[in-house]
């Protein structure tokens, strides 16, 4: 994979990254405003991925999204509601605002451990069930052994299946590829995975599933955003960034917001190119803005 570093003119510099992350951390209080906190709310994939999820519990969450603008008219709606693939139709049928997308985790999330045919079929079924966006996991069973050809093949197969199914429905569906950066560990492997996923058609690259011991980290985010920048400069294609896993406080959100703004600039600070995958963050952001405890979602 060293050739990708040469191809895109980027190799992670751990010392430089550490210094810049220190600067970001030191400046968080200065950039934390109600406007920034509301921006963070507008790019959330409001998520429920629990073993005990049911159609009723998913409908309840979507119902809160439906009533949110009535209860809090000065706040933006989240970008999407993110659920397991089998609940995509529940979200589709319950949502009342077409600006809020249906996101489904698919491709045998969170492990990506199954036959490729099963992963492809689940992606197809999720799109048919109403998903506007599909989040899949990089096949670490191939990637971690150095079998990048197979890892590429899997992303490409799911990308093609999603596109073909979506075309039949007269729509386009966004593909996010989860790298599971906490298991990749090193900046070099995170960069390898970032370039590989983008080359195979990812519309977003995403940090984590939220299902392993180490999820989103500022270091991983910084490397991924630098890769997105290098990829854009080489190809002219803008790829989005999604931070997910363990992002629960307003300070967490502003940290990642600052990283994206620092590396990719203002044009990436919108739901088309930047997302948070969250289950608890919405209440934390609202509490920070209202200066009191809010438990809406």
């Amino acid at each position: 994979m060293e050739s990708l570093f040469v191809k895109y003119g980027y190799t992670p510099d751990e010392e430089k990254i550490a210094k810049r992350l220190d600067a970001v951390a030191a400046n968080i209080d200065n950039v934390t405003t109600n406007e920034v906190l509301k921006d963070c709310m507008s790019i959330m994939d409001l998520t429920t991925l629990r073993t005990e999820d049911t159609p009723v519990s998913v409908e309840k969450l979507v119902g809160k999204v439906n009533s949110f603008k009535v209860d809090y008219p000065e706040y933006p709606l989240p970008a999407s509601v993110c659920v397991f693939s089998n609940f995509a139709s529940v979200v589709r049928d319950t949502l009342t605002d077409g600006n809020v997308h249906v996101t489904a985790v698919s491709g045998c999330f969170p492990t990506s451990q199954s036959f490729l045919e099963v992963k492809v079929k689940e992606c197809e079924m999720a799109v048919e069930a109403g998903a506007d966006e599909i989040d899949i996991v990089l096949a670490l069973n191939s990637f971690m052994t150095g079998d990048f050809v197979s890892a590429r093949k899997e992303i490409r197969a799911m990308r093609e299946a999603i596109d073909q199914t979506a075309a039949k429905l007269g729509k386009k569906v966004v593909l996010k590829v989860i790298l599971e950066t906490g298991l990749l560990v090193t900046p070099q492997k995170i960069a390898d995975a970032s370039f590989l996923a983008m080359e195979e058609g990812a519309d977003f690259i995403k940090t984590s599933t939220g299902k392993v011991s180490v999820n989103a980290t500022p270091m991983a985010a910084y490397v991924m955003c630098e890769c997105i920048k290098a990829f854009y400069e080489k190809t002219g294609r803008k790829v989005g960034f999604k931070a997910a896993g363990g992002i629960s406080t307003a300070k967490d959100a502003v940290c990642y917001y600052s990283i994206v703004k620092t590396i990719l600039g203002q044009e990436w600070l919108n739901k088309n190119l930047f997302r948070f995958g969250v289950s608890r963050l919405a209440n934390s952001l609202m509490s920070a803005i209202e200066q009191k405890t809010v438990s809406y979602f």
Side-chain angles (χ1 to χ4, degrees):
M1 293 290 284
E2 184 179 356
S3 62
L4 287 180
F5 294 149
V6 174
K7 182 176 181 179
Y8 294 104
Y10 172 73
T11 302
D13 183 331
E14 294 186 53
E15 184 176 346
K16 183 187 76 172
I17 291 170
K19 288 180 179 178
R20 292 188 174 176
L21 286 175
D22 286 343
V24 167
N27 197 45
I28 283 178
D29 289 343
N30 296 327
V31 300
T32 301
T33 64
N34 285 352
E35 181 181 5
V36 167
L37 296 175
K38 287 182 179 180
D39 281 349
C40 289
M41 289 200 68
S42 73
I43 59 177
M44 293 187 307
D45 290 344
L46 190 63
T47 302
T48 181
L49 297 172
R50 303 176 302 169
T51 302
E52 66 269 30
D53 283 342
T54 66
V56 172
S57 68
V58 172
E59 286 175 359
K60 184 177 179 180
L61 177 63
V62 178
K64 291 180 179 180
V65 174
N66 291 341
S67 62
F68 189 57
K69 291 300 287 183
V70 174
D71 297 331
Y72 289 91
E74 71 277 18
Y75 281 77
L77 287 166
S80 82
V81 177
C82 179
V83 294
F84 287 114
S85 294
N86 51 305
F87 293 119
S89 62
V90 176
V91 181
R92 177 197 62 196
D93 295 343
T94 309
L95 269 174
T96 58
D97 193 314
N99 292 316
V100 180
H101 280 187
V102 180
T103 297
V105 294
S106 200
C108 298
F109 175 97
T111 64
S112 194
Q113 295 283 17
S114 190
F115 302 102
L116 177 56
E117 294 85 352
V118 175
K119 301 178 192 181
V120 168
K121 187 62 177 177
E122 187 185 2
C123 289
E124 292 174 350
M125 292 177 72
V127 174
E128 290 169 348
D132 304 299
E133 306 181 7
I134 298 288
D135 291 17
I136 65 170
V137 183
L138 173 68
L140 294 185
N141 52 12
S142 298
F143 185 85
M144 297 295 276
T145 63
D147 184 1
F148 304 124
V149 172
S150 294
R152 286 179 179 276
K153 176 185 175 182
E154 293 215 2
I155 296 173
R156 193 179 314 123
M158 285 183 271
R159 169 87 269 180
E160 290 173 356
I162 289 165
D163 288 346
Q164 290 170 8
T165 306
K168 293 176 184 176
L169 298 171
K171 62 190 286 187
K172 290 186 177 181
V173 170
V174 169
L175 174 64
K176 308 189 198 91
V177 177
I178 304 165
L179 307 184
E180 203 67 288
T181 55
L183 299 181
L184 298 180
V185 182
T186 70
Q188 291 74 24
K189 285 185 178 178
I190 293 169
D192 286 342
S194 296
F195 287 128
L196 184 152
M198 289 189 288
E199 286 196 338
E200 297 308 323
D203 296 308
F204 279 74
I205 51 175
K206 174 179 170 182
T207 57
S208 322
T209 61
K211 304 297 185 181
V212 295
S213 58
V214 177
N215 291 289
T217 65
M219 184 278 290
Y222 206 99
V223 172
M224 291 168 68
C225 287
E226 287 198 316
C227 290
I228 289 169
K229 181 179 180 180
F231 186 80
Y232 172 62
E233 289 174 347
K234 183 73 174 180
T235 68
R237 186 166 77 86
K238 292 181 178 179
V239 174
F241 168 72
K242 180 174 175 178
I247 301 168
S248 60
T249 70
K251 188 173 183 178
D252 291 336
V254 175
C255 175
Y256 290 104
Y257 184 96
S258 298
I259 289 170
V260 172
K261 185 175 182 179
T262 298
I263 300 170
L264 297 169
Q266 190 74 30
E267 61 189 308
W268 253 263
L269 298 177
N270 61 77
K271 66 181 182 180
N272 295 322
L273 290 168
F274 182 22
R275 296 288 179 87
F276 289 117
V278 299
S279 57
R280 295 172 289 166
L281 180 63
N283 289 333
S284 296
L285 292 171
M286 293 177 71
S287 296
I289 294 168
E290 299 290 330
Q291 291 295 296
K292 63 181 181 181
T293 301
V294 177
S295 299
Y296 187 88
F297 289 103

